[in-house]
Amino acid sequence: MRQQLFYVAVGYVCGYLMISWMPDVTPFTWVNFLADFTFRPLHSFLAMACFFIGFLANAMAIRTMVEGAVQLFIRKIVNWHEWLASYTVVGSFYWLFHLNKRLSLLFFIFSVVYGMIAVDFSSGHRYKKLL
């Protein structure tokens, strides 16, 4: 449970920092966006690093949500605390959408796609079977 809450907290903080460090170009033009990205390299690098770390952390919480739902559907044992704790990722995306809709949507799509790719439907994890 703590691990899932840690993933959600890291995902939210990284999402918040990514949104705050990305250049806000209104109205959006590629030239101004790339110029701001180029002339502020530290903010650009930190925003990209936060995006990467954040969507990986959120993807792990989404993976737990999906695996728990499938296990519940096929009537296997579900770790309820871990499964319900992973649903707090929905609230973190809710708050991120209030900050910036476009970047949050991009962040959400990457997290969901990677989370769905990482789903493991086998009864045990592969690394435990190899031991």
Side-chain angles (χ1 to χ4, degrees):
M1 181 172 135
R2 289 181 188 160
Q3 186 177 16
Q4 295 304 318
L5 291 176
F6 177 73
Y7 287 149
V8 172
V10 166
Y12 177 75
V13 169
C14 286
Y16 176 78
L17 291 175
M18 182 261 312
I19 288 171
S20 65
W21 284 332
M22 285 295 267
D24 186 27
V25 180
T26 307
F28 185 80
T29 58
W30 279 104
V31 174
N32 291 342
F33 179 76
L34 292 175
D36 201 7
F37 230 67
T38 305
F39 292 128
R40 294 173 47 190
L42 181 63
H43 280 217
S44 303
F45 174 75
L46 291 175
M48 288 185 284
C50 284
F51 179 81
F52 184 71
I53 293 168
F55 94 79
L56 288 177
N58 284 330
M60 293 302 112
I62 290 170
R63 182 194 70 184
T64 304
M65 285 173 34
V66 172
E67 285 177 353
V70 169
Q71 287 177 350
L72 187 67
F73 183 70
I74 60 174
R75 298 186 180 171
K76 284 190 174 181
I77 297 172
V78 177
N79 187 351
W80 288 95
H81 297 292
E82 188 173 301
W83 186 55
L84 292 175
S86 66
Y87 272 92
T88 57
V89 76
V90 175
S92 72
F93 279 117
Y94 173 77
W95 290 109
L96 288 176
F97 274 109
H98 283 288
L99 296 175
N100 190 329
K101 288 178 180 39
R102 286 184 185 166
L103 291 176
S104 297
L105 182 64
L106 182 69
F107 195 57
F108 176 74
I109 289 170
F110 269 81
S111 298
V112 168
V113 168
Y114 190 76
M116 296 301 284
I117 289 171
V119 170
D120 184 18
F121 290 121
S122 63
S123 60
H125 294 286
R126 296 187 203 290
Y127 60 88
K128 289 182 182 175
K129 288 181 181 179
L130 296 174
L131 295 177

